[in-house]
């Protein structure tokens, strides 16, 4: 599908059609993961902003189910890799084994076996893998390419998702700040809070068979080959007023220098809390996400609520604390993001 240039009404109709598809996409994914409406909306924003996502959450809360449902509804192909202490970068691109004839064979690995149709690549427990593996993944995220078999392979439609093992500390390699900054969002996936969803997940047999559950998701709701084109149209078509631009910069200043902004958090020395972060790249990601959120809400202009709706997931992991506060990161980062919006006057 092509955008018809030079015709704003036709472009608006085209984007409206894609907004309808986005809502159908959310509905289809919601059929297999209960009580995760906010998570689904955030991942939909990431899909249409073409950003990679780091998922946070306990084991068994449905992250894999969620991504498999997304991949089926988006179209293209899906691959998953498990992070392990002995995983090497070559294991992502080559599959070395002994063939049936007893001879060594080298076949394409999980990144390459699907060709350039790969749309979702899920790296499970990324912090179990070594930094060398992280480096390969970061190149893939930044450039969409991998060198293997004597040539460069391109993945024009690829979106990377990863999650971390937050429980075990032995034999894990935490992502450095620069690596985490490559992720467009960090999204918390928790067990649903409402009792009805909890009961259904425990007692409804439909949720006990993942393959059957995923098979109930409509296929190819979104054409994955068009998503980059749609994303560019959204970014060009949703605008920000001068007042919103000033407001966004003021929020940036507030999380970079909360003491100067007058923010006070209980039990925290504000003059030493923030050591750095919240880079221009992070702020550009914030605006990208806010534009997509505005588009999903049917607007062509960013409003303060668009920024608020995506701020913690886009910005919190880009704010680097004094080591004494790092163990309380989740609590303090959330409080700091809320305090920024309470302190900075909205236009």
């Amino acid at each position: 599908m092509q955008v018809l240039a030079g015709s704003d009404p036709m472009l608006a109709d085209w984007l409206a059609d894609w907004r309808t598809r986005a809502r159908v996409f959310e509905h289809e994914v919601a059929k297999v993961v209960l009580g995760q409406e906010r998570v689904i909306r955030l991942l939909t924003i990431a899909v249409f902003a073409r950003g990679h996502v780091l998922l946070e959450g306990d084991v068994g809360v449905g992250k894999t189910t969620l991504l498999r449902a997304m991949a089926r509804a988006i179209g293209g192909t899906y691959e998953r890799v498990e992070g392990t202490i002995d995983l090497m970068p070559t294991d992502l691109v080559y599959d070395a084994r002994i063939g049936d004839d007893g001879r060594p064979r080298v076949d394409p690995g999980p990144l390459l076996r699907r060709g350039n149709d790969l749309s979702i690549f899920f790296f499970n427990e990324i912090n179990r893998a070594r930094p060398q593996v992280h480096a390969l993944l970061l190149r893939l995220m930044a450039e969409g390419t991998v060198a293997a078999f004597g040539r460069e392979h391109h993945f024009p439609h690829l979106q990377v998702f990863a999650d971390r093992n937050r429980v075990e500390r032995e034999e894990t390699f935490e992502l450095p700040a620069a690596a985490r900054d490559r992720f467009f969002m960090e999204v918390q996936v928790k067990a649903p809070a409402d009792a009805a969803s909890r009961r259904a997940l425990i007692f409804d047999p439909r949720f006990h068979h993942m393959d059957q559950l995923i098979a109930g998701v409509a296929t190819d709701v979104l054409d994955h080959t068009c998503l980059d084109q749609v994303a560019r149209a959204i970014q060009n078509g949703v605008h920000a007023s001068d007042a919103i631009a000033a407001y966004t910069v003021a929020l940036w200043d507030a999380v970079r220098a909360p003491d100067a902004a007058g923010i006070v958090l209980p039990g925290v020395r504000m003059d030493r809390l923030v050591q750095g972060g919240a880079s221009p790249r992070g702020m550009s990601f914030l605006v990208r996400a806010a534009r997509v959120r505005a588009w999903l809400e049917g607007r062509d202009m960013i409003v303060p609520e668009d920024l608020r709706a995506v701020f913690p997931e886009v910005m919190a992991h880009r704010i680097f604390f004094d080591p004494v506060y790092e163990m309380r990161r989740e609590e303090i980062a959330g409080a700091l993001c809320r305090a920024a919006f309470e302190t900075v006057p909205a236009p």
Side-chain angles (χ1 to χ4, degrees):
M1 182 181 297
Q2 297 294 321
V3 176
L4 298 177
S7 177
D8 289 343
M10 297 187 77
L11 176 58
D13 290 344
W14 184 75
L15 284 175
D17 174 65
W18 271 95
R19 183 163 51 245
T20 299
R21 296 189 192 194
R23 290 169 179 164
V24 174
F25 169 78
E26 291 182 324
H27 172 75
E28 289 297 319
V29 174
K31 292 193 304 189
V32 302
V33 284
L34 299 182
Q36 302 290 0
E37 290 79 9
R38 174 173 168 76
V39 170
I40 293 171
R41 171 50 60 97
L42 288 167
L43 295 186
T44 302
I45 290 171
V47 166
F48 283 96
R50 309 310 296 143
H52 309 294
V53 179
L54 183 64
L55 299 171
E56 297 276 0
D58 295 331
V59 174
V61 294
K63 296 186 295 295
T64 301
T65 304
L66 175 63
L67 293 180
R68 285 187 60 187
M70 287 177 58
R72 183 173 172 88
I74 288 174
T77 56
Y78 166 88
E79 280 288 345
R80 168 177 164 162
V81 166
E82 296 288 335
T84 60
I85 186 69
D86 59 348
L87 188 72
M88 297 301 292
T90 52
D91 295 328
L92 299 184
V93 293
Y94 303 112
D95 179 16
R97 58 189 178 85
I98 302 298
D100 295 338
D101 58 0
R103 297 181 179 181
R105 289 180 57 89
V106 178
D107 296 321
L111 270 179
L112 302 184
R113 66 170 63 108
R114 304 289 190 175
N116 62 11
D117 197 47
L118 185 61
S119 63
I120 288 185
F121 182 74
F122 180 30
F123 201 120
N124 193 38
E125 295 196 344
I126 187 173
N127 59 330
R128 283 199 179 279
R130 295 176 178 274
Q132 299 96 313
V133 180
H134 299 166
L136 175 65
L137 190 69
L138 292 177
R139 175 185 170 176
L140 177 68
M141 291 164 58
E143 302 176 11
T145 63
V146 165
F149 294 103
R151 67 186 183 90
E152 198 165 75
H153 300 259
H154 295 264
F155 303 92
H157 316 302
L158 180 65
Q159 191 169 10
V160 173
F161 293 83
D163 79 343
R164 292 189 296 169
N165 183 319
R166 299 195 304 167
V167 177
E168 295 163 313
R169 297 294 180 182
E170 295 183 359
E171 296 186 341
T172 60
F173 302 86
E174 284 304 324
L175 292 173
R180 292 181 67 182
D181 189 61
R182 294 287 181 179
F183 285 96
F184 184 69
M185 288 182 178
E186 286 193 8
V187 177
Q188 297 283 337
V189 183
K190 300 179 180 179
D194 65 288
S197 294
R198 287 171 177 259
R199 282 197 300 269
L201 290 172
I202 296 170
F203 292 104
D204 189 339
R206 187 168 67 92
F207 296 102
H208 301 169
H209 304 282
M210 184 186 296
D211 289 342
Q212 294 179 19
L213 192 64
I214 298 300
V217 176
T219 59
D220 302 330
V221 175
L222 308 179
D223 183 348
H224 66 290
T225 65
C226 292
L227 286 174
D228 280 353
Q229 187 181 19
V230 178
R232 287 192 297 271
I234 293 169
Q235 295 301 312
N236 291 328
V238 178
H239 307 289
S241 66
D242 290 342
I244 284 292
Y247 180 57
T248 304
V249 173
L251 290 171
W252 185 17
D253 291 340
V255 295
R256 284 181 63 89
D259 187 40
I263 293 175
V264 177
L265 300 179
V268 176
R269 278 192 54 182
M270 303 308 298
D271 60 334
R272 63 176 293 185
L273 173 63
V274 176
Q275 290 193 332
S279 66
R281 176 168 59 193
M283 294 307 296
S284 71
F285 283 174
L286 175 67
V287 174
R288 275 172 59 186
R291 283 183 170 135
V292 176
R293 201 263 181 181
W295 170 73
L296 288 170
E297 295 293 323
R299 287 182 274 99
D300 65 357
M301 184 73 70
I302 296 175
V303 299
E305 187 55 35
D306 296 322
L307 296 166
R308 182 189 291 270
V310 298
F311 197 88
E313 287 76 18
V314 176
M315 296 304 299
H317 65 286
R318 295 184 163 88
I319 306 169
F320 305 112
F321 295 151
D322 185 285
V324 73
Y325 296 113
E326 275 296 331
M327 290 300 292
R328 297 168 55 197
R329 158 165 286 279
E330 186 173 340
E331 167 202 347
I332 293 175
L336 178 59
C337 290
R338 290 190 297 271
F341 281 90
E342 293 166 359
T343 303
V344 178

